[in-house]
Amino acid sequence: MKNKSWLSLSLSLSLSLSLCLMSVATHAQESQVDVIVINADIRTSNPAQPKAQAFAVNKGKFMAVGNNAFIKNMATQKTKIIDAKGKTVLPGLTDAHTHLLGGIELWQGVDLFGIKDRKQWFKIIAKRDKELAKGTWLVGGRWDVSDLDDPSMPTRQELDAIVPDRPVVLQDIDYHTVWLNTKAMQLLGIDKDTQAPQGGEIIKDSTTGEPTGIFKETAANQLVLSHPLYTAAILSGNDAIPTLHQIVAHFNSLGITSVHDMWAELATVYTTLADSQKQLPMRIHFGLMVADDQANLIQLQRYAKQRDELNQRFIEREKQWQNGPKFRFGYMKYFVDGTLMSYTAALNKPYSDRQHFNIDPITSQIKLNELVKNTNEVGFPVAIHAIGDKSVDIALNAIESTSKHLQMANRIEHIEVISKVATSRFAELGVVASMQPDHAIAGNYQESRLGADRLPYSYAWKTLLSYGASMVLGSDWPTAPENPMIQLSDVIFREYNGKTRYSDDALSLDEALYAYTQAPANIAGWGNEIGSISVGKWADFLILQDTLKLPLNKNIRDWKVIQTWFAGQKVFDRQLKLNNTEK
């Protein structure tokens, strides 16, 4: 009996061993390594393993991360081997505040960014007018009067002299002001008797009372940019989807593989993409920008239903695509104020260069409390545009007033100046600080608007992190450069005209990278799928032109991305692009 038991056990162990070996063999066969990267300076954004030399990719995901010897042994004859030759490799970057759909207008129209001569504006506009088909709207913009010798606002008459017979709508650099010609005003039904909505302004001629063609804040959004005629002209055209593909390809060339996109239109472009045969190599966490009167509880419930239906369509498509999350309608975007440049940011004390001037927030505390409560109740986090310290306080109060604020990734956008008492509230309330570094560096008006007493609380990046806040970084493109190397340089050096600007609130390289990679993945709900070079995550990564060494060289703002990979597939190669250009 004893021998029989031993024999039975022996046979059982042999069978188990055989099955185990078969399983190992099968796993090895299934685990064919598609790509390995070796000899790299890998900054993973994974605190458990901050740096590595190499990694392996299989079926679009990171299979192993470690040293050269370990990873090299995983290669087979079919494995593509990339020798990084010491260059820095980063996770795919996330621009946590951008407006991809807004960029469609720039691609289709005119881009006046950085043009400091008003006459040059008119030449560019006239040239584009001749290139467009009859009936097409001329759009785009990024004009900036603060860069001109004459900072006076432009007029519709100036546009009429160049383009009298097609509608022209040009947004300013901050996207809070629009400049129209007479034709556009006529089509949109705007005349002398049109009243500005609350929180907005229609600039009118002091003599005639006629609109000058300049519309600010809610007047720009509600009377122009959200008008069905305008959105139909821009986003419903045959060129909208191909243009978006061009924009995404450009973002890929900068190492960006994910964005938090915010725009006032959802029903056309992204719904079409859900059924498109051509995928976008981009992961999009979308926030819908809406006016207060569009955000009552009944309307929010409709948005929630739209969210669930659209997200489910993408989930089903992603099962076919097999390269990770591509799109989620995830949050709602609200506004409390405007901008410092235009004196429409709400401050606790008057502007330093207008001693007796201040402005009320666009949205009252009572109204914002209701908006945030209702939005959280239907399962949406909020993203609140708040630039002035008064607006930031109001936004924090509104989030604190909701019972679900610790369950939601509620966020405040911009935070260009903060009150001393607010510095600890972000962490206490679980509010994400969403900030855009180049806004701190590129502007030439912060010191005059805020004065010396408030400057230590301006763009308080390090301060907020030191209190334990979660922070994400982005560009706010098209209002600022979309290049992450510029944004990272600005947040690390805070340098303007050769000196550190505002305070010593700069971030370290690791802090900045985390805020451009893992932190935005976390608040999008994708933290376990993307955001770091970690085993099991989708292989989104980029290779820089050189090695990031401490102390950092200040020329990193000019560095280029050599390659960008999305879910284990190369989506940008600078050398290939150069070769194609040469042909």
Side-chain angles (χ1 to χ4, degrees), residues 34 48 89 118 123 132 186 189 230 254 259 263 268 289 299 303 330 351 362 454 465 471 495 498 502 509 525:
D34 300 320
V89 177
R118 194 184 297 254
K123 290 180 181 179
L132 292 174
Q186 291 171 346
Y230 177 78
L254 301 172
V259 295
W263 204 241
T268 303
M289 297 161 47
Q299 182 59 52
Y303 287 136
Y351 282 79
I362 294 171
R454 283 181 288 207
L465 281 186
M471 181 177 294
E495 187 173 288
Y502 307 125
L509 173 61

Side-chain angles (χ1 to χ4, degrees), residues 236-405:
S236 298
N238 294 328
D239 294 334
I241 298 295
T243 302
L244 186 59
H245 277 276
Q246 294 173 23
I247 295 171
V248 166
H250 171 63
F251 271 60
N252 286 162
S253 76
L254 301 172
I256 299 170
T257 55
S258 179
V259 295
H260 294 188
D261 186 27
M262 306 172 197
W263 204 241
E265 203 279 341
L266 178 65
T268 303
V269 177
Y270 287 136
T271 52
T272 303
L273 281 175
D275 299 319
S276 176
Q277 295 301 311
K278 185 179 180 182
Q279 296 183 51
L280 279 177
M282 185 65 68
R283 310 189 191 282
I284 300 169
H285 181 50
F286 182 78
L288 184 63
M289 297 161 47
V290 295
D292 294 358
D293 59 358
Q294 297 175 304
N296 58 69
L297 185 57
I298 294 175
Q299 182 59 52
L300 284 167
Q301 288 170 340
R302 294 194 186 104
Y303 287 136
K305 182 179 179 182
Q306 184 182 17
R307 170 198 64 200
D308 296 342
E309 292 173 351
L310 182 56
N311 288 353
Q312 188 57 42
R313 286 171 63 188
F314 270 96
I315 288 170
E316 293 302 317
R317 293 288 280 152
E318 287 160 12
K319 291 177 183 177
Q320 303 169 22
W321 293 331
Q322 291 293 303
N323 53 13
K326 301 298 286 293
F327 176 92
R328 295 292 182 276
F329 175 15
Y331 55 105
M332 303 296 289
K333 169 83 179 290
Y334 300 119
F335 290 81
V336 181
D337 66 356
T339 69
L340 282 172
M341 184 179 76
S342 62
Y343 294 95
T344 53
L347 303 176
N348 284 319
K349 295 180 180 180
Y351 282 79
S352 292
D353 54 354
R354 287 190 181 179
Q355 288 292 323
H356 303 291
F357 178 81
N358 209 337
I359 193 165
D360 291 328
I362 294 171
T363 307
S364 70
Q365 184 72 73
I366 293 173
K367 180 61 177 177
L368 191 63
N369 289 359
E370 179 187 6
L371 283 175
V372 175
K373 176 181 179 295
N374 289 341
T375 305
N376 282 182
E377 283 294 328
V378 299
F380 281 114
V382 296
I384 302 175
H385 171 114
I387 282 180
D389 50 6
K390 184 174 185 178
S391 296
V392 175
D393 289 343
I394 287 173
L396 288 169
N397 293 340
I399 292 171
E400 186 176 23
S401 73
T402 69
S403 61
K404 293 189 175 183
H405 67 266

Side-chain angles (χ1 to χ4, degrees), residues 98-116:
T98 190
H99 308 286
L100 283 189
L101 295 188
I104 289 175
E105 299 167 35
L106 284 179
W107 244 254
Q108 295 178 351
V110 296
D111 187 358
L112 306 178
F113 184 77
I115 306 297
K116 300 183 179 183

Side-chain angles (χ1 to χ4, degrees), residues 70 82 162 201 209 214 249 257 272 282 305 319 370 446 451 491 504-505 541 565 580:
F70 176 69
I82 299 173
I162 311 166
E201 183 181 7
I214 296 296
T257 55
T272 303
M282 185 65 68
K305 182 179 179 182
K319 291 177 183 177
E370 179 187 6
Q446 286 92 335
V491 82
D504 295 325
D505 248 320
F541 64 91
W565 292 66
N580 287 340

Side-chain angles (χ1 to χ4, degrees), residues 435 437 459-466 471-473 487-494 503-516 552:
M435 305 181 79
Y459 304 98
W461 305 317
K462 192 78 167 185
T463 299
L464 286 167
L465 281 186
S466 70
M471 181 177 294
V472 297
L473 298 178
Q487 302 291 339
L488 290 171
S489 174
D490 287 340
V491 82
I492 291 168
F493 295 116
R494 292 183 71 108
S503 72
D504 295 325
D505 248 320
L507 298 187
S508 70
L509 173 61
D510 288 339
E511 289 168 338
L513 287 177
Y514 192 86
Y516 237 106
L552 286 176

